[in-house]
Amino acid sequence: VGAWIPLMQVTVIGSDTKVQSATQSAIVQVIEEGLSNAYRHGGASKVRVVIEPEGNCAWIRIEDNGTGVPIHSSPGLGSALLDSLAPGAWSLKRTADGWTVLQVPVPLDA
């Protein structure tokens, strides 16, 4: 997260749940990808990262005030990464109030 702070306001909200190193690595990958896309593709100036354990997953939610995903965009390397970490379970949506929200469940036993 630290590398993005000079470029945009980043707030991280999460729990202190202890996780295995593989899970921690997957969480870091999701957050890095989300922050990168929010800035590079959406031009976001504000991002909230929320990490919430639920059941056997750590749910990562990245909310940004950028322009969102273009309607006719093709999946790229980021989508492939998210598919490998959470096949068919992640989502990217635009909210009514103009925020883009990426949600990814990362299994706690990853």
Side-chain angles (χ1 to χ4, degrees):
V1 171
W4 293 101
I5 291 176
L7 302 172
M8 57 189 175
Q9 178 184 346
V10 180
T11 304
V12 179
I13 302 165
S15 71
D16 292 334
T17 303
K18 300 292 181 198
V19 295
Q20 295 177 12
S21 62
T23 300
Q24 185 175 11
S25 176
I27 290 169
V28 168
Q29 287 180 310
V30 168
I31 293 170
E32 286 177 348
E33 183 63 27
L35 292 174
S36 174
N37 285 345
Y39 183 77
R40 291 185 178 141
H41 300 299
S45 61
K46 294 181 182 179
V47 180
R48 287 185 301 252
V49 177
V50 181
I51 306 165
E52 298 177 318
E54 183 180 310
N56 64 346
C57 291
W59 279 88
I60 312 305
R61 189 172 69 245
I62 301 172
E63 308 166 339
D64 72 74
N65 69 343
T67 59
V69 179
I71 294 171
H72 300 292
S73 67
S74 300
L77 291 175
S79 295
L81 170 69
L82 297 176
D83 283 338
S84 73
L85 295 172
W90 65 275
S91 66
L92 181 63
K93 297 179 182 173
R94 192 85 168 144
T95 65
D97 61 352
W99 286 74
T100 301
V101 179
L102 172 66
Q103 291 193 105
V104 184
V106 176
L108 290 174
D109 58 356

